[in-house]
Every structure is written in structure tokens, then in C-alpha cells.
Amino acid sequence: MNRCLKILFFALLVKPMVLLGLGLNIFFKARLPKAGPAMVVANHNSHLDTLVLMSLYPLSQIHKIRPVAAADYFLCHKVVAWFSLNIIGIIPIQRSNIRDKEALFAECHKALDNGDILLIFPEGSRGKPEALSALKRGIHHIIKQRPSLKVVPVMMHGLGRALPKGERVFVPFNCDVVIGEAIPFEEDAKQYIDSVYHSLNELLALCMTRQSIVLDE
Amino acid sequence: MFNIPLHSFYMMLFVIFLLIAGSLIRLRLQRKNPSVDYTELKQRIQSWWWMIAILFGILLAPTTISITFFALLSFLALKEFFSIMPTRQADRRVLLWAYLAIPAQYYWVETAWYGMFLIFIPIYVFLFLPMRAVFIGETKGFIRSLGTIHWAVMLSVLCISHIAYLLQLPVINEEAGALGLVLFLIFITQFNDVCQYIWGKTFGKHKIIPKVSPKKTWEGFIGGVVTVTIISGLLAPYLTPLTMVQGFVAGSLIAVSGFVGDVVISSVKRDLAIKDSGTLIPGHGGLLDRIDSLIYTAPLFFHFLYYLCY
């Protein structure tokens, strides 16, 4: 039932919206992991990020894409929680008061064991429009236990203008989605996070819309 | 046949014939030099097939549908402009209003309200958008931003809507019909792009504006203008109300302004250090990369025709 709703939601609403309202410049689509277990790490500027990334997959596979999202934000309202869990299929994760790190990522590991593709925004929050904030180390905790997991970086640009944090009105813009090469595992957390950050920044150079941002004072 | 005016029908057949010829030449090239990578050429020709199929389908549909299609074209072009040009985050609402100019402008086209069609963007939109921006209150970068926005709206909404208005002009050349004018304009404009390219590639030596477009040469430009002027003079009496001599003038007008449109959009891209304006059309780049010359030729051809015949 929910899977039907999910497919309808993506087929009738998300995909046409992404096609017409946004329009994507996609680079290196073939680098996107076609099947799980795998992880996609992307920059985060807008609620649209999740929908755009999921829309890159065929309808038959959309239920395998699991965005990891903040429990404090998405679960605090009943309707939003139902929608996030059942239609989008998020894996809720705590952002504060963390005691047991193993328990924190239990759901993520369960999804990976199930052959799903995790969608993670390591910035932790949408932040300022079109600016890459410092990355959190959470992803390294997951990968430490699965060094062979395929981790693919994706840089998106333009969505922070189409629907930035704190805005309700959507404005059409073309957006770039640049998919990078899989990031090799490294034991050291800081080094690993640095190489993810570096890779995202490199992908930014390929974005066609990169010049269009004028930051407000 | 199919209720298509005969001359326009033959013109469409001719274009399809050209496409078939193009596809066959590519296949022969591929067979002759199997080691050379013709992927881009293949993509380009495939995209041409798609564009022609969509355009012909739309032109044969009822006028309202054709007009809606050109509105969509304006929307995609304006979106591409806004996506590559620098605008402030504070301008988001202004941009939304700029988008809303599209349905209004094409409503004037649909109702054939000529006066409003002409002044709506250069007067009402021109005066309204800065007002909306003032209420947002961000003054830093105001001039640059509003200039950019209005320029984009003029090029992608006002200019492109002239193609749609051609369909609303009273038919004078019964055998070509209203779509004859659109076929003539689009064919001559695109033919000019191809001619200038081929002349330039074959004989090109002296660069015109190396800083903007290093591949554009005087030989290509002049060769293109001459060829297009002749073809246009021969084609004009067949597809439009123009005489042969008027067709020569229309042809040179389209050839020169098409060149200008091309290099204007090239300058925009060079300023932004990007190669293409988007990825909408495989092998061609963005929509603006394809219709850059049409943006210039459409209003100029329209008003030339309007002055002489209406």
C-alpha cells in the first residue's frame, strides 16, 4: 500500500516537478551506484536535495533508496513523520544527546544488510544557501565496520536557490547534479572526511550554475 | 493534405529530406573512418530529429497548443538564463514575478491583442519588477541584479513570443498559411547557422571577434550571409507574403542578426566561464545554445514583415 503511494508520489509529482520546475544538468550519471549496499554522500542546501537524488533512480528501485534524516526535525510532527517514514522512507537519526554510537547507526546497518542505498548529508543541516559547511564524522562510523562499502559523493548546486532553508515559495531554477568517483576507505576519520570534502569541492567546479550565486550581506 | 497548406507541407517534407540526408552522410562518414569518434555528431543529428518532430507536431496542432508550446520554450529559456546569471538570493520573489510575465505575455498573443503584446514587457514588467525588488529592501547589487533580470526577460519572453505571434497574423499567402511564416523564420535562421559554420570551416581565415568566439571568421560570415540571402529570396514568395526582393532583404536581415544573437549569448557564456548554458539538448548543450540566433531574428523578421505587409 505504502509502496504504491510512494511510486505514485514519485511518478506523478516528484519526477515531473524535477523535469519541468527544476531541470537537471546531470554529469557522470553512470557513477551512481545501481544496486546496494552502497552509500551516497551529498551536500545539503534544500529539502529538494533528497527528492532530486531519489528521482535519479527508476520507480522500481526508489524504495531501495533510504535517506538518513534528523529525527528531531522530521519526527516531531505527526503528519510529517508519517510522510517521511512511509512515503520517503527515511532512516531517522538522533542529532543530539547521543550516548550509544553503535545503537545510533543500527538502523543504517540493517538497511545496508538489506541491500539498500543510504543517502547521507554529512553536513548535518541545510545551512546557508549554496555553501558547503564542515562535514560531520558520522559516515566514518558506519564505514569503519564495512571498509569495502561503495561510497559515492554527489555535489548538487542550485537547489539552495530553488527552495532554501526557511523559505516556503519554490522558484524554478536549473540545478547541477555532479556525481563523483567512489571514495576509497581510510582508517583515519579526519583524513577520510577531508577526502570527502575535497572531492565534493572538486565536483563543484563542474557545475554550470556555480557563478549564479550572489550572497546577501 | 492533412489540411496543411500545400507550400508549408512541401517545406516540411524538404526539411525531413535534409535530415535524412544528414543522417546518411553521418553513417557514411562513420563507415569510412571507423576509428574516428562521431558520438557528438550522432547526438546532434538525433537531437535535430527530435526538435523537428516536436516543432512540426506542435505547428500542425491547433493554434492555442502551438502558442502554449512557445510559452513553454520561453519558460525554459528564462529558467536557463536565471540559472547561469548572477542574481541575489533576495531576488527570488522578483524572479517568480518575472516567470509570471510568461503566461500574461502569451495570453496577449492568444487573444491577438497587438498593442499589449508589444508594450507589456518593455513597459509594465520593466516598471513593476524594480518596484517589487524595492519592497524586499536589499539595495546592495540592486542595479546589476535588476538589469540582468530585465535583460533576460526581454530576450527569452518578448523576443521568443514574436514567433508565436506570427501564427496570429491574418493569412495573406493562402498556400503557405500562418505556419509558413514560422517555418520560413526558423528554417532560414537555422540554415544560416549551418551555412556560416560550413563556410567558416572550409574557407575561414580572418577572425571577426576572436575574444568572444575564436571560431567565427569573416569568410564564414560573408559566405553565410550571401548564401542565406539568395535562398531566402527564392523561398520567401513561396512561404510568406513577401516578394523576391523583399525576401532578399529579409534573408540578409536574418543572416546578420542571427550571427549577432549567436555571439551575444557566446559573450554571456564567456563572461560566466561556461561552455554551454545547460544540458537540455544532447549534442547541442542548453536551449539557449540552440535558440540564441532565433532570439535575435524572430522580432526583427516579425517587424520587417509587419511593416511591409500589415
Side-chain angles (χ1 to χ4, degrees), chain A residues 47-202:
Chain A
H47 283 317
L48 297 174
D49 292 340
T50 316
L51 297 177
V52 163
L53 283 171
M54 290 175 82
S55 79
L56 298 179
Y57 283 89
L59 289 173
S60 59
Q61 263 200 302
I62 274 181
H63 67 286
K64 299 294 270 180
I65 319 300
R66 308 291 307 277
V68 178
D72 54 285
Y73 187 95
F74 288 97
L75 296 189
C76 67
H77 186 278
K78 242 185 179 172
V79 179
V80 178
W82 176 84
F83 182 80
S84 309
L85 290 170
N86 295 296
I87 303 298
I88 306 293
I90 65 163
I91 298 176
I93 198 161
Q94 263 184 298
R95 282 196 292 195
S96 50
N97 295 328
I98 302 160
R99 290 202 195 92
D100 184 0
K101 273 187 183 160
E102 295 312 311
L104 184 67
F105 296 113
E107 278 294 310
C108 296
H109 284 295
K110 218 169 102 186
L112 288 172
D113 289 335
N114 190 30
D116 291 353
I117 298 172
L118 289 190
L119 207 62
I120 298 190
F121 301 108
E123 287 167 276
S125 158
R126 286 167 294 166
K128 280 201 182 121
E130 308 300 341
L132 189 60
S133 336
L135 305 186
K136 305 252 187 294
R137 291 188 183 189
I139 43 173
H140 194 259
H141 282 286
I142 301 176
I143 298 158
K144 241 180 358 195
Q145 299 179 18
R146 310 167 169 263
S148 59
L149 187 71
K150 191 173 185 191
V151 179
V152 176
V154 176
M155 183 76 194
M156 289 175 287
H157 197 269
L159 293 161
R161 285 208 297 167
L163 188 71
K165 190 176 182 175
E167 282 277 353
R168 286 180 177 195
V169 180
F170 167 79
V171 179
F173 283 106
N174 284 352
C175 300
D176 294 295
V177 180
V178 192
I179 297 135
E181 288 190 74
I183 297 167
F185 175 74
E186 267 178 71
E187 198 63 54
D188 184 60
K190 190 178 174 307
Q191 255 179 29
Y192 185 78
I193 296 299
D194 279 350
S195 71
V196 175
Y197 190 83
H198 183 69
S199 156
L200 286 176
N201 258 329
E202 259 183 6

Side-chain angles (χ1 to χ4, degrees), chain A residues 22 160-162 169 172 174 211, chain B residues 79 83 87 89 92 99 272 279:
Chain A
L22 285 172
R161 285 208 297 167
V169 180
N174 284 352
Q211 300 258 4
Chain B
K79 180 155 66 84
S83 307
T87 48
Q89 198 72 12
R92 291 180 69 254
Y99 281 121
L272 299 170
T279 52

Side-chain angles (χ1 to χ4, degrees), chain B:
Chain B
M1 197 179 271
F2 307 119
N3 274 334
I4 313 168
L6 204 59
H7 287 184
S8 293
F9 179 67
Y10 286 141
M11 185 63 203
M12 287 173 159
L13 284 187
F14 176 64
V15 170
I16 291 170
F17 165 77
L18 284 182
L19 272 179
I20 293 173
S23 304
L24 289 179
I25 291 172
R26 185 196 68 79
L27 281 175
R28 262 195 68 181
L29 274 176
Q30 183 78 81
R31 212 166 305 146
K32 246 183 178 173
N33 326 307
S35 53
V36 186
D37 184 19
Y38 284 108
T39 318
E40 203 191 323
L41 188 66
K42 187 179 164 191
Q43 270 187 345
R44 271 186 101 100
I45 294 176
Q46 266 174 0
S47 294
W48 269 120
W49 274 106
W50 275 106
M51 287 188 284
I52 296 297
I54 292 171
L55 181 72
F56 285 1
I58 287 303
L59 286 178
L60 296 179
T63 312
T64 308
I65 295 181
S66 322
I67 291 174
T68 312
F69 168 76
F70 286 110
L72 178 71
L73 212 60
S74 277
F75 168 71
L76 293 175
L78 188 61
K79 180 155 66 84
E80 230 168 71
F81 260 122
F82 286 161
S83 307
I84 55 171
M85 286 184 178
T87 48
R88 304 168 302 169
Q89 198 72 12
D91 294 326
R92 291 180 69 254
R93 304 286 169 117
V94 183
L95 299 183
L96 199 63
W97 280 102
Y99 281 121
L100 289 177
I102 298 171
Q105 173 73 359
Y106 282 87
Y107 178 73
W108 318 136
V109 175
E110 167 69 27
T111 52
W113 185 356
Y114 186 62
M116 194 55 154
F117 158 76
L118 284 185
I119 66 165
F120 176 66
I121 287 167
I123 294 185
Y124 293 109
V125 174
F126 175 65
L127 298 176
F128 175 80
L129 291 182
M131 183 191 89
R132 185 67 190 83
V134 165
F135 287 132
I136 294 169
E138 176 73 45
T139 50
K140 192 169 177 295
F142 185 87
I143 304 172
R144 180 178 168 167
S145 197
L146 268 292
T148 307
I149 294 171
H150 190 67
W151 195 57
V153 175
M154 287 287 279
L155 290 180
S156 45
V157 187
L158 182 67
C159 290
I160 293 177
S161 68
H162 278 80
I163 312 173
Y165 209 97
L166 286 174
L167 294 168
Q168 293 288 51
L169 293 175
V171 174
I172 296 177
N173 185 340
E174 295 282 348
E175 277 159 314
L179 81 166
L181 296 172
V182 177
L183 286 175
F184 178 81
L185 168 69
I186 296 181
F187 176 74
I188 295 293
T189 304
Q190 300 303 338
F191 183 64
N192 174 51
D193 283 3
V194 176
C195 277
Q196 301 213 3
Y197 174 78
I198 292 175
W199 278 98
K201 194 105 183 161
T202 325
F203 299 104
K205 254 198 188 128
H206 304 89
K207 290 181 173 139
I208 299 191
I209 17 174
K211 271 180 103 174
V212 179
S213 215
K215 281 182 184 159
K216 294 269 185 302
T217 58
W218 278 108
E219 289 81 358
F221 175 67
I222 293 167
V225 171
V226 172
T227 318
V228 167
T229 301
I230 295 169
I231 298 290
S232 163
L234 299 176
L235 209 56
Y238 193 67
L239 285 176
T240 72
L242 300 173
T243 63
M244 188 190 273
V245 176
Q246 291 168 340
F248 286 137
V249 182
S252 50
L253 186 70
I254 289 176
V256 174
S257 58
F259 171 83
V260 176
D262 188 336
V263 290
V264 165
I265 300 298
S266 294
S267 303
V268 171
K269 289 184 288 184
R270 203 148 275 255
D271 185 14
L272 299 170
I274 50 179
K275 210 175 134 277
D276 295 325
S277 61
T279 52
L280 188 69
I281 314 173
H284 295 252
L287 179 65
L288 288 175
D289 297 312
R290 187 64 271 137
I291 62 167
D292 48 6
S293 35
L294 200 57
I295 286 174
Y296 261 67
T297 59
L300 291 171
F301 171 71
F302 179 94
H303 289 293
F304 177 73
L305 176 84
Y306 198 88
Y307 177 71
L308 288 175
C309 304
Y310 292 93

